[in-house]
Amino acid sequence: DRPAHIDPALLKALRFAHRWQTKLDASPLTSMEGLQTARAAADSYVRRLTPLAFLAPDIQRAIIDGAQPAGLTLQQLINTKIPVAWDDQRRMFGFGTAAQNPS
């Protein structure tokens, strides 16, 4: 086991992704102004970070706890097309399988 290494950039990006995903999940009660604000902010940066909100829960927990694989960086995450399937995410980013990483 290696000691925990909390990566502030990964934490900030994960928080940002969840914040924007919430804003983009408009409900029927969302005002037109709210929708326009969300759309205007959906620039390249937002589009690159929002998929982080869909990482497997155990991957997100590992990032929060600083237990992500040593080579996992924010740059790697945003430059990669993140698979939808959580097991594929675990393999791609070096987390092993669901049996090793129960969620």
Side-chain angles (χ1 to χ4, degrees):
D1 278 335
R2 68 180 187 87
H5 172 70
I6 295 176
D7 183 328
L10 278 173
L11 279 179
K12 183 178 178 182
L14 192 58
R15 188 177 309 117
F16 180 91
H18 279 280
R19 187 175 320 122
W20 272 101
Q21 186 55 43
T22 300
K23 287 180 182 184
L24 295 172
D25 284 341
S27 76
L29 301 176
T30 302
S31 69
M32 284 306 287
E33 183 178 314
L35 285 173
Q36 289 169 341
T37 300
R39 282 193 195 114
D43 63 5
S44 175
Y45 184 69
V46 173
R47 285 190 305 272
R48 288 191 326 241
L49 290 184
T50 303
L52 301 183
F54 299 98
L55 287 169
D58 54 299
I59 293 175
Q60 293 188 45
R61 173 55 49 198
I63 290 169
I64 291 166
D65 293 343
Q68 72 277 1
L72 187 65
T73 65
L74 176 57
Q75 202 62 41
Q76 178 186 10
L77 287 172
I78 63 175
N79 288 335
T80 303
K81 182 167 176 16
I82 297 173
V84 174
W86 290 346
D87 280 339
D88 293 343
Q89 292 175 10
R90 291 179 187 106
R91 275 190 294 280
M92 178 178 278
F93 299 121
F95 283 89
T97 64
Q100 295 169 322
N101 297 298
S103 48

